[in-house]
CSV table of all heavy atoms in Angstrom, one decimal:
chain,number,residue,atom,x,y,z
J,232,THR,N,-79.6,-12.4,-25.4
J,232,THR,CA,-79.6,-13.8,-26.0
J,232,THR,C,-78.2,-14.4,-26.0
J,232,THR,O,-77.2,-13.7,-25.8
J,232,THR,CB,-80.2,-13.7,-27.4
J,232,THR,OG1,-79.3,-12.8,-28.2
J,232,THR,CG2,-81.6,-13.2,-27.5
J,233,ILE,N,-78.2,-15.7,-26.2
J,233,ILE,CA,-76.9,-16.4,-26.3
J,233,ILE,C,-76.9,-17.0,-27.7
J,233,ILE,O,-77.8,-17.6,-28.2
J,233,ILE,CB,-76.9,-17.6,-25.3
J,233,ILE,CG1,-77.2,-17.1,-23.9
J,233,ILE,CG2,-75.5,-18.2,-25.3
J,233,ILE,CD1,-76.3,-16.0,-23.3
J,234,ASP,N,-75.7,-16.8,-28.4
J,234,ASP,CA,-75.6,-17.3,-29.8
J,234,ASP,C,-74.1,-17.7,-30.0
J,234,ASP,O,-73.3,-17.4,-29.2
J,234,ASP,CB,-76.1,-16.2,-30.7
J,234,ASP,CG,-76.5,-16.8,-32.1
J,234,ASP,OD1,-76.2,-18.0,-32.4
J,234,ASP,OD2,-77.2,-16.0,-32.8
J,235,SER,N,-73.9,-18.2,-31.2
J,235,SER,CA,-72.5,-18.5,-31.6
J,235,SER,C,-71.9,-17.2,-32.3
J,235,SER,O,-72.7,-16.4,-32.8
J,235,SER,CB,-72.5,-19.6,-32.6
J,235,SER,OG,-73.3,-19.4,-33.7
J,236,PRO,N,-70.6,-17.0,-32.2
J,236,PRO,CA,-70.0,-15.8,-32.8
J,236,PRO,C,-70.3,-15.7,-34.3
J,236,PRO,O,-70.2,-16.7,-35.0
J,236,PRO,CB,-68.5,-16.0,-32.5
J,236,PRO,CG,-68.4,-17.0,-31.4
J,236,PRO,CD,-69.6,-17.9,-31.6
J,237,LYS,N,-70.5,-14.5,-34.8
J,237,LYS,CA,-70.7,-14.2,-36.2
J,237,LYS,C,-69.9,-13.0,-36.6
J,237,LYS,O,-69.6,-12.2,-35.8
J,237,LYS,CB,-72.2,-14.0,-36.5
J,237,LYS,CG,-73.1,-15.1,-36.1
J,237,LYS,CD,-74.6,-14.8,-36.5
J,237,LYS,CE,-75.1,-13.7,-35.6
J,237,LYS,NZ,-75.3,-14.2,-34.2
J,238,LYS,N,-69.5,-13.0,-37.9
J,238,LYS,CA,-68.7,-11.8,-38.4
J,238,LYS,C,-69.4,-10.5,-38.2
J,238,LYS,O,-68.8,-9.5,-38.0
J,238,LYS,CB,-68.4,-12.0,-39.8
J,238,LYS,CG,-67.4,-13.2,-40.1
J,238,LYS,CD,-67.1,-13.3,-41.6
J,238,LYS,CE,-66.1,-14.4,-41.8
J,238,LYS,NZ,-65.7,-14.6,-43.3
J,239,THR,N,-70.8,-10.6,-38.2
J,239,THR,CA,-71.5,-9.3,-38.1
J,239,THR,C,-71.6,-8.8,-36.6
J,239,THR,O,-71.9,-7.7,-36.4
J,239,THR,CB,-73.0,-9.6,-38.5
J,239,THR,OG1,-73.6,-10.6,-37.8
J,239,THR,CG2,-73.0,-9.9,-40.0
J,240,SER,N,-71.2,-9.7,-35.7
J,240,SER,CA,-71.3,-9.2,-34.3
J,240,SER,C,-70.0,-9.1,-33.5
J,240,SER,O,-69.9,-8.5,-32.5
J,240,SER,CB,-72.3,-10.2,-33.5
J,240,SER,OG,-71.7,-11.5,-33.6
J,241,ILE,N,-69.0,-9.8,-34.1
J,241,ILE,CA,-67.7,-9.7,-33.4
J,241,ILE,C,-66.6,-9.7,-34.4
J,241,ILE,O,-66.6,-10.4,-35.4
J,241,ILE,CB,-67.5,-10.9,-32.4
J,241,ILE,CG1,-66.3,-10.7,-31.5
J,241,ILE,CG2,-67.4,-12.2,-33.1
J,241,ILE,CD1,-66.3,-11.6,-30.3
J,242,ASN,N,-65.6,-8.9,-34.2
J,242,ASN,CA,-64.4,-8.7,-35.1
J,242,ASN,C,-63.7,-10.0,-35.2
J,242,ASN,O,-63.4,-10.7,-34.2
J,242,ASN,CB,-63.5,-7.6,-34.6
J,242,ASN,CG,-62.4,-7.2,-35.6
J,242,ASN,OD1,-61.5,-8.0,-35.9
J,242,ASN,ND2,-62.5,-6.0,-36.1
J,243,SER,N,-63.2,-10.4,-36.3
J,243,SER,CA,-62.6,-11.7,-36.5
J,243,SER,C,-61.2,-11.8,-35.8
J,243,SER,O,-60.7,-12.9,-35.6
J,243,SER,CB,-62.4,-12.0,-38.0
J,243,SER,OG,-61.6,-10.9,-38.6
J,244,ASN,N,-60.7,-10.6,-35.5
J,244,ASN,CA,-59.4,-10.6,-34.7
J,244,ASN,C,-59.6,-10.8,-33.2
J,244,ASN,O,-58.6,-10.9,-32.5
J,244,ASN,CB,-58.7,-9.3,-35.0
J,244,ASN,CG,-58.2,-9.2,-36.5
J,244,ASN,OD1,-57.6,-10.0,-37.0
J,244,ASN,ND2,-58.6,-8.1,-37.1
J,245,VAL,N,-60.8,-10.8,-32.8
J,245,VAL,CA,-61.1,-10.9,-31.3
J,245,VAL,C,-61.3,-12.4,-31.0
J,245,VAL,O,-62.2,-13.0,-31.6
J,245,VAL,CB,-62.3,-10.0,-31.0
J,245,VAL,CG1,-62.7,-10.3,-29.5
J,245,VAL,CG2,-62.0,-8.6,-31.2
J,246,PRO,N,-60.5,-12.9,-30.1
J,246,PRO,CA,-60.8,-14.3,-29.6
J,246,PRO,C,-62.1,-14.4,-28.9
J,246,PRO,O,-62.5,-13.5,-28.2
J,246,PRO,CB,-59.6,-14.6,-28.7
J,246,PRO,CG,-59.2,-13.3,-28.2
J,246,PRO,CD,-59.4,-12.3,-29.3
J,247,ALA,N,-62.8,-15.5,-29.2
J,247,ALA,CA,-64.2,-15.7,-28.6
J,247,ALA,C,-64.4,-17.2,-28.3
J,247,ALA,O,-63.8,-18.1,-28.9
J,247,ALA,CB,-65.2,-15.2,-29.6
J,248,THR,N,-65.3,-17.4,-27.4
J,248,THR,CA,-65.7,-18.7,-27.0
J,248,THR,C,-66.8,-19.2,-28.0
J,248,THR,O,-67.3,-18.5,-28.9
J,248,THR,CB,-66.3,-18.7,-25.6
J,248,THR,OG1,-67.3,-17.8,-25.5
J,248,THR,CG2,-65.2,-18.4,-24.6
J,249,ARG,N,-67.2,-20.5,-27.9
J,249,ARG,CA,-68.1,-21.1,-28.8
J,249,ARG,C,-69.5,-20.5,-28.7
J,249,ARG,O,-70.3,-20.4,-29.7
J,249,ARG,CB,-68.2,-22.6,-28.6
J,249,ARG,CG,-67.0,-23.4,-29.1
J,249,ARG,CD,-67.1,-24.8,-28.9
J,249,ARG,NE,-67.2,-25.2,-27.4
J,249,ARG,CZ,-67.3,-26.4,-26.9
J,249,ARG,NH1,-67.5,-27.4,-27.7
J,249,ARG,NH2,-67.3,-26.6,-25.6
J,250,GLN,N,-69.8,-20.0,-27.5
J,250,GLN,CA,-71.1,-19.3,-27.3
J,250,GLN,C,-70.8,-17.9,-26.7
J,250,GLN,O,-69.9,-17.8,-25.9
J,250,GLN,CB,-72.0,-20.1,-26.4
J,250,GLN,CG,-72.6,-21.3,-27.1
J,250,GLN,CD,-73.7,-22.0,-26.2
J,250,GLN,OE1,-73.3,-22.5,-25.1
J,250,GLN,NE2,-74.9,-22.0,-26.6
J,251,ILE,N,-71.6,-16.9,-27.2
J,251,ILE,CA,-71.3,-15.6,-26.7
J,251,ILE,C,-72.7,-14.9,-26.2
J,251,ILE,O,-73.8,-15.4,-26.7
J,251,ILE,CB,-70.7,-14.7,-27.8
J,251,ILE,CG1,-71.6,-14.7,-29.0
J,251,ILE,CG2,-69.3,-15.1,-28.1
J,251,ILE,CD1,-71.1,-13.7,-30.1
J,252,ILE,N,-72.6,-13.9,-25.4
J,252,ILE,CA,-73.7,-13.2,-25.0
J,252,ILE,C,-74.0,-12.1,-25.9
J,252,ILE,O,-73.0,-11.3,-26.3
J,252,ILE,CB,-73.5,-12.6,-23.5
J,252,ILE,CG1,-73.2,-13.8,-22.6
J,252,ILE,CG2,-74.8,-11.9,-23.1
J,252,ILE,CD1,-72.7,-13.3,-21.2
J,253,GLU,N,-75.2,-11.9,-26.4
J,253,GLU,CA,-75.6,-10.8,-27.3
J,253,GLU,C,-76.6,-9.9,-26.6
J,253,GLU,O,-77.6,-10.4,-26.0
J,253,GLU,CB,-76.1,-11.3,-28.6
J,253,GLU,CG,-75.0,-11.9,-29.5
J,253,GLU,CD,-75.5,-12.1,-30.9
J,253,GLU,OE1,-76.7,-12.3,-31.1
J,253,GLU,OE2,-74.7,-12.1,-31.8
J,254,PHE,N,-76.4,-8.6,-26.6
J,254,PHE,CA,-77.3,-7.6,-26.1
J,254,PHE,C,-77.9,-6.8,-27.2
J,254,PHE,O,-77.3,-6.5,-28.2
J,254,PHE,CB,-76.6,-6.6,-25.2
J,254,PHE,CG,-75.9,-7.2,-24.0
J,254,PHE,CD1,-74.6,-7.7,-24.1
J,254,PHE,CD2,-76.6,-7.3,-22.8
J,254,PHE,CE1,-74.0,-8.3,-22.9
J,254,PHE,CE2,-76.0,-7.8,-21.7
J,254,PHE,CZ,-74.7,-8.4,-21.7
J,255,THR,N,-79.2,-6.5,-27.1
J,255,THR,CA,-79.9,-5.5,-28.0
J,255,THR,C,-80.0,-4.2,-27.3
J,255,THR,O,-80.7,-4.1,-26.2
J,255,THR,CB,-81.2,-6.1,-28.4
J,255,THR,OG1,-81.1,-7.4,-29.0
J,255,THR,CG2,-81.9,-5.1,-29.4
J,256,ASP,N,-79.4,-3.2,-27.8
J,256,ASP,CA,-79.5,-1.8,-27.2
J,256,ASP,C,-80.8,-1.1,-27.7
J,256,ASP,O,-81.0,-1.0,-28.8
J,256,ASP,CB,-78.3,-1.0,-27.7
J,256,ASP,CG,-78.1,0.3,-26.9
J,256,ASP,OD1,-79.1,1.0,-26.6
J,256,ASP,OD2,-77.0,0.6,-26.5
J,257,ARG,N,-81.6,-0.7,-26.7
J,257,ARG,CA,-82.9,-0.1,-27.0
J,257,ARG,C,-82.8,1.3,-27.6
J,257,ARG,O,-83.8,1.8,-28.1
J,257,ARG,CB,-83.8,-0.1,-25.8
J,257,ARG,CG,-83.3,0.7,-24.6
J,257,ARG,CD,-84.2,0.5,-23.4
J,257,ARG,NE,-83.8,1.3,-22.3
J,257,ARG,CZ,-84.4,2.5,-22.0
J,257,ARG,NH1,-85.4,2.9,-22.8
J,257,ARG,NH2,-84.0,3.2,-20.9
J,258,PHE,N,-81.6,1.9,-27.5
J,258,PHE,CA,-81.5,3.2,-28.1
J,258,PHE,C,-80.9,3.2,-29.5
J,258,PHE,O,-80.9,4.3,-30.1
J,258,PHE,CB,-80.5,4.0,-27.2
J,258,PHE,CG,-81.0,4.2,-25.8
J,258,PHE,CD1,-80.4,3.5,-24.7
J,258,PHE,CD2,-82.0,5.1,-25.5
J,258,PHE,CE1,-80.8,3.7,-23.5
J,258,PHE,CE2,-82.5,5.3,-24.2
J,258,PHE,CZ,-81.9,4.6,-23.2
J,259,MET,N,-80.6,2.1,-30.0
J,259,MET,CA,-79.9,2.0,-31.4
J,259,MET,C,-81.0,1.6,-32.4
J,259,MET,O,-81.9,0.9,-32.1
J,259,MET,CB,-78.7,1.1,-31.4
J,259,MET,CG,-77.6,1.5,-30.4
J,259,MET,SD,-76.2,0.4,-30.4
J,259,MET,CE,-75.5,0.8,-32.0
J,260,LYS,N,-80.7,2.0,-33.7
J,260,LYS,CA,-81.6,1.7,-34.8
J,260,LYS,C,-81.6,0.2,-35.2
J,260,LYS,O,-80.5,-0.4,-35.0
J,260,LYS,CB,-81.3,2.5,-36.0
J,260,LYS,CG,-81.6,4.0,-35.8
J,260,LYS,CD,-81.3,4.8,-37.1
J,260,LYS,CE,-81.6,6.3,-37.0
J,260,LYS,NZ,-81.3,7.0,-38.2
J,261,ASN,N,-82.7,-0.3,-35.7
J,261,ASN,CA,-82.7,-1.6,-36.4
J,261,ASN,C,-82.3,-2.7,-35.4
J,261,ASN,O,-81.8,-3.7,-35.8
J,261,ASN,CB,-81.8,-1.6,-37.6
J,261,ASN,CG,-82.2,-0.6,-38.6
J,261,ASN,OD1,-83.3,-0.3,-38.8
J,261,ASN,ND2,-81.1,0.0,-39.2
J,262,ALA,N,-82.6,-2.5,-34.1
J,262,ALA,CA,-82.4,-3.6,-33.1
J,262,ALA,C,-81.0,-4.1,-33.2
J,262,ALA,O,-80.7,-5.3,-33.3
J,262,ALA,CB,-83.4,-4.7,-33.3
J,263,VAL,N,-80.0,-3.2,-33.2
J,263,VAL,CA,-78.6,-3.6,-33.4
J,263,VAL,C,-78.2,-4.4,-32.1
J,263,VAL,O,-78.5,-4.1,-31.0
J,263,VAL,CB,-77.7,-2.3,-33.5
J,263,VAL,CG1,-76.2,-2.7,-33.4
J,263,VAL,CG2,-78.0,-1.6,-34.8
J,264,LYS,N,-77.5,-5.5,-32.4
J,264,LYS,CA,-77.0,-6.4,-31.4
J,264,LYS,C,-75.5,-6.3,-31.3
J,264,LYS,O,-74.8,-6.1,-32.3
J,264,LYS,CB,-77.4,-7.9,-31.6
J,264,LYS,CG,-78.8,-8.2,-31.5
J,264,LYS,CD,-79.1,-9.7,-31.6
J,264,LYS,CE,-80.5,-10.0,-31.4
J,264,LYS,NZ,-80.8,-11.5,-31.5
J,265,PHE,N,-75.0,-6.4,-30.1
J,265,PHE,CA,-73.5,-6.4,-29.9
J,265,PHE,C,-73.2,-7.4,-28.7
J,265,PHE,O,-74.1,-7.7,-27.9
J,265,PHE,CB,-72.9,-5.1,-29.6
J,265,PHE,CG,-73.5,-4.3,-28.5
J,265,PHE,CD1,-73.0,-4.4,-27.2
J,265,PHE,CD2,-74.6,-3.4,-28.8
J,265,PHE,CE1,-73.6,-3.6,-26.2
J,265,PHE,CE2,-75.1,-2.7,-27.7
J,265,PHE,CZ,-74.6,-2.8,-26.5
J,266,THR,N,-72.0,-7.9,-28.7
J,266,THR,CA,-71.7,-9.0,-27.8
J,266,THR,C,-71.1,-8.5,-26.5
J,266,THR,O,-70.9,-7.3,-26.3
J,266,THR,CB,-70.6,-9.9,-28.4
J,266,THR,OG1,-69.4,-9.2,-28.5
J,266,THR,CG2,-71.0,-10.3,-29.8
J,267,GLY,N,-70.8,-9.4,-25.6
J,267,GLY,CA,-70.2,-9.1,-24.3
J,267,GLY,C,-68.9,-8.4,-24.5
J,267,GLY,O,-68.4,-7.7,-23.6
J,268,TYR,N,-68.2,-8.6,-25.6
J,268,TYR,CA,-66.9,-7.9,-25.9
J,268,TYR,C,-67.1,-6.4,-25.9
J,268,TYR,O,-66.2,-5.7,-25.5
J,268,TYR,CB,-66.3,-8.5,-27.1
J,268,TYR,CG,-65.0,-7.8,-27.5
J,268,TYR,CD1,-63.8,-8.2,-26.8
J,268,TYR,CD2,-64.8,-6.8,-28.4
J,268,TYR,CE1,-62.6,-7.6,-27.0
J,268,TYR,CE2,-63.6,-6.2,-28.7
J,268,TYR,CZ,-62.5,-6.6,-28.0
J,268,TYR,OH,-61.3,-6.1,-28.2
J,269,ASP,N,-68.2,-6.0,-26.5
J,269,ASP,CA,-68.5,-4.5,-26.6
J,269,ASP,C,-69.4,-4.0,-25.5
J,269,ASP,O,-69.5,-2.7,-25.4
J,269,ASP,CB,-69.2,-4.3,-28.0
J,269,ASP,CG,-68.3,-4.6,-29.1
J,269,ASP,OD1,-67.2,-4.0,-29.3
J,269,ASP,OD2,-68.7,-5.5,-29.9
J,270,ALA,N,-70.0,-4.8,-24.7
J,270,ALA,CA,-70.9,-4.3,-23.7
J,270,ALA,C,-70.1,-3.8,-22.5
J,270,ALA,O,-68.9,-4.1,-22.3
J,270,ALA,CB,-71.8,-5.5,-23.2
J,271,SER,N,-70.8,-3.1,-21.6
J,271,SER,CA,-70.1,-2.6,-20.4
J,271,SER,C,-69.8,-3.8,-19.5
J,271,SER,O,-70.6,-4.8,-19.4
J,271,SER,CB,-71.1,-1.6,-19.6
J,271,SER,OG,-72.1,-2.3,-19.0
J,272,GLU,N,-68.7,-3.7,-18.7
J,272,GLU,CA,-68.3,-4.8,-17.9
J,272,GLU,C,-69.4,-4.9,-16.7
J,272,GLU,O,-69.6,-6.0,-16.2
J,272,GLU,CB,-66.9,-4.6,-17.3
J,272,GLU,CG,-66.7,-3.3,-16.5
J,272,GLU,CD,-65.3,-3.2,-16.0
J,272,GLU,OE1,-64.6,-4.2,-16.1
J,272,GLU,OE2,-65.0,-2.1,-15.5
J,273,GLY,N,-70.0,-3.9,-16.4
J,273,GLY,CA,-71.0,-3.9,-15.3
J,273,GLY,C,-72.2,-4.8,-15.7
J,273,GLY,O,-72.7,-5.6,-14.8
J,274,ALA,N,-72.6,-4.8,-17.0
J,274,ALA,CA,-73.7,-5.7,-17.4
J,274,ALA,C,-73.3,-7.2,-17.2
J,274,ALA,O,-74.0,-8.0,-16.8
J,274,ALA,CB,-74.1,-5.4,-18.8
Side-chain angles (χ1 to χ4, degrees):
T232 55
I233 310 298
D234 204 345
S235 56
K237 299 183 292 291
K238 291 182 179 180
T239 55
S240 59
I241 192 166
N242 190 293
S243 59
N244 295 307
V245 174
T248 54
R249 287 180 295 178
Q250 288 186 295
I251 58 173
I252 304 170
E253 288 191 332
F254 298 87
T255 303
D256 192 317
R257 66 189 181 94
F258 296 106
M259 298 179 73
K260 291 182 179 180
N261 302 321
V263 172
K264 291 186 176 183
F265 54 91
T266 71
Y268 180 76
D269 295 299
S271 75
E272 60 180 350

